Amino acid sequence: MNADANTQAKQTVSRFHKSIKLARSYTQKNDFDKALRTYELVIKDSPEDAVAFLGMGRTYMKMGNYEAAEKYFNGALHLNDQMAQAMIMLAALSHKQGNEDKALALYQEALNINPKLTKVRVAVSGIYVKRKMFIEAENILKEALRYNPQYSEARLMLSKVLHKQGQNSKALESLDRLLEREPDSWVAYFLRGRFLSESDSNMAIEAFKQSIQLKPDNAIAYFYLGEVYMLTEHFEHAVLSFAEVENIKSEMDQVMVSCKLAKAYSKMGAYKEAEKVLHKLSLGEKRLGMIHFMLAEVYVQQEKYHLAVEEYEAGSLHAQEFLEKHPEFQVIQEQNISDDKKARGYAEIVSGFISEAEAEAAASAELNAANEGEIEDD
């Protein structure tokens, strides 16, 4: 190749890389039209290069057009059947579409090509956890850490997997090792608080406080800090914690947080404050059965049985599944008995419903769990 041809080739490669970089920046900014047009120009100039096809697929995936994304990811693989990143993106796409078996097969194929893909091992562990295959999840996470001991996401996931297996001391040890490397990891302190909540309330409280100190808008840590305060009957502190969650804009179920706040008020005897919170919630559209039932409990504690009966019966109108499971509620409703007996009868039946609703809220509170096992981009 002569000097002119060599210079021209270098300019072509440089132009290609600049265009790819520009298209990626458009995708990151959600300027999808410009991203797609830029990738189309690259493909027109270099139709045999798989990188632009991969970029087009990523853009379409971010747009939510999974059919087009799959087409371009497969196009990238057609041009380069050893392109591990295309397999990873197809796996992530399959995972999003609920095809976990296909996702696992593609992730494994990518790992066969490049065993150093620690992020892929974390994604696979997420699928294993969902299937309750905890030993398999533990093993693949340990392998990820063998390739990169500093990969905090793998260490955090390993801690959760060990905790799920009942190996709490090992889970805490894993977090301690992470904190040695990353003393400013608010997630590690948060998980430490979660793991200690059942065994050492004081240490759990300190861990949550440390997590909040590192991340002041830490709604999830405030929420679980409030939960520990409730367990230890420090209701005034629980009120402050749940109030902080309300003040922070987050993706948490704000209705459930407010219900927790109302319960904390009620436990400390601040019934009027609890009533205010629940009255406001009753004007909304979510969880109305539980809200009316909780308000009824507040009235029972104040021996306002006639008001409690009204709330219990209002709640039952918003909880059809509850009524189907508990026909005895209607039996009590039809009895000609005093309000206090009727309210206490309702209370005995409803307590389990409220506990189940609270457990459901706690299970959905950890926002980071929603994305376990997914890879969308580098």
Side-chain angles (χ1 to χ4, degrees), residues 192-371:
R192 185 173 175 78
R194 291 286 289 120
F195 298 164
L196 288 166
S197 294
E198 296 176 4
S199 60
D200 193 325
S201 298
N202 290 331
M203 288 186 68
I205 288 169
E206 289 307 310
F208 286 134
K209 285 182 176 179
Q210 185 66 41
S211 183
I212 291 165
Q213 184 177 339
L214 291 166
K215 188 176 187 294
D217 61 343
N218 195 343
I220 189 67
Y222 272 116
F223 179 86
Y224 279 106
L225 178 60
E227 290 279 79
V228 177
Y229 281 137
M230 290 290 284
L231 288 172
T232 55
E233 299 186 358
H234 290 89
F235 302 123
E236 296 89 346
H237 294 308
V239 163
L240 294 174
S241 295
F242 292 132
E244 283 293 337
V245 182
E246 283 196 323
N247 292 333
I248 298 170
K249 290 183 179 180
S250 72
E251 296 178 24
M252 292 188 69
D253 184 337
Q254 293 300 315
V255 172
M256 184 54 69
V257 172
S258 295
C259 285
K260 288 283 187 181
L261 176 61
K263 186 172 183 178
Y265 275 131
S266 180
K267 288 287 186 181
M268 65 183 284
Y271 299 122
K272 291 301 177 186
E273 293 301 322
E275 288 176 29
K276 286 180 185 177
V277 174
L278 293 168
H279 282 160
K280 184 178 179 180
L281 291 176
S282 71
L283 300 176
E285 298 178 353
K286 296 180 179 180
R287 300 185 184 274
L288 292 175
M290 189 186 72
I291 290 164
H292 286 291
F293 287 157
M294 289 185 70
L295 190 51
E297 284 192 339
V298 174
Y299 286 136
V300 167
Q301 289 166 342
Q302 298 175 80
E303 299 183 357
K304 296 179 179 180
Y305 298 116
H306 61 294
L307 296 178
V309 168
E310 290 178 355
E311 294 299 330
Y312 278 128
E313 293 179 356
S316 70
L317 297 175
H318 298 281
Q320 190 59 42
E321 287 186 13
F322 166 78
L323 281 181
E324 291 172 1
K325 291 180 181 178
H326 298 280
E328 64 270 30
F329 188 96
Q330 192 168 352
V331 172
I332 293 174
Q333 190 172 5
E334 292 171 355
Q335 289 178 351
N336 186 19
I337 56 178
S338 63
D339 285 337
D340 65 323
K341 288 183 179 179
K342 187 170 283 192
R344 293 185 187 283
Y346 286 151
E348 190 174 337
I349 300 168
V350 165
S351 61
F353 174 86
I354 294 175
S355 297
E356 287 175 11
E358 288 178 341
E360 176 192 332
S364 64
E366 295 184 50
L367 302 177
N368 59 317
N371 295 320

Side-chain angles (χ1 to χ4, degrees), residues 40 67 74 79 83 102 118 122 143-144 146 161 168 182-183 219 228 243 274 279 285 341:
E40 285 167 358
E67 184 178 349
N74 281 321
L79 294 169
M83 193 177 200
K102 184 178 179 180
T118 51
V122 174
E143 188 69 5
R146 193 169 73 86
V161 168
N168 210 35
E182 298 182 35
V228 177
H279 282 160
E285 298 178 353
K341 288 183 179 179

Side-chain angles (χ1 to χ4, degrees), residues 34-181:
K34 287 183 180 178
L36 293 174
R37 283 200 299 270
T38 306
Y39 278 126
E40 285 167 358
L41 290 173
V42 175
I43 290 172
K44 185 178 179 180
D45 289 341
S46 305
E48 300 300 316
D49 197 291
V51 175
F53 281 83
L54 179 67
M56 285 282 276
R58 281 175 165 163
T59 303
Y60 276 120
M61 186 171 175
K62 198 169 183 183
M63 292 169 65
N65 188 338
Y66 295 159
E67 184 178 349
E70 185 174 6
K71 172 187 170 183
Y72 279 97
F73 291 146
N74 281 321
L77 280 176
H78 177 74
L79 294 169
N80 180 0
D81 63 3
Q82 295 298 297
M83 193 177 200
Q85 196 59 41
M87 295 174 190
I88 293 169
M89 298 310 297
L90 275 172
L93 187 60
S94 298
H95 194 191
K96 279 182 173 295
Q97 295 173 316
N99 192 339
E100 291 180 352
D101 289 335
K102 184 178 179 180
L104 281 172
L106 285 163
Y107 280 141
Q108 189 55 59
E109 198 172 345
L111 286 170
N112 290 340
I113 293 171
N114 183 0
K116 299 177 183 179
L117 296 168
T118 51
K119 193 171 184 179
V120 172
R121 294 183 189 279
V122 174
V124 172
S125 75
I127 297 175
Y128 285 152
V129 168
K130 188 176 178 181
R131 296 182 172 190
K132 301 190 185 303
M133 298 167 63
F134 299 127
I135 293 175
E136 291 83 353
E138 180 182 347
N139 289 337
I140 199 167
L141 287 166
K142 286 180 176 177
E143 188 69 5
L145 288 167
R146 193 169 73 86
Y147 278 98
N148 185 0
Q150 299 183 62
Y151 192 32
S152 58
E153 190 177 349
R155 184 74 65 184
L156 290 167
M157 190 66 169
L158 177 61
S159 302
K160 287 189 273 188
V161 168
L162 291 168
H163 179 68
K164 285 179 182 293
Q165 294 180 81
Q167 301 181 48
N168 210 35
S169 59
K170 287 186 178 180
L172 290 167
E173 181 183 331
S174 179
L175 291 176
D176 288 342
R177 291 183 69 177
L178 171 59
L179 286 167
E180 280 186 67
R181 295 178 181 272

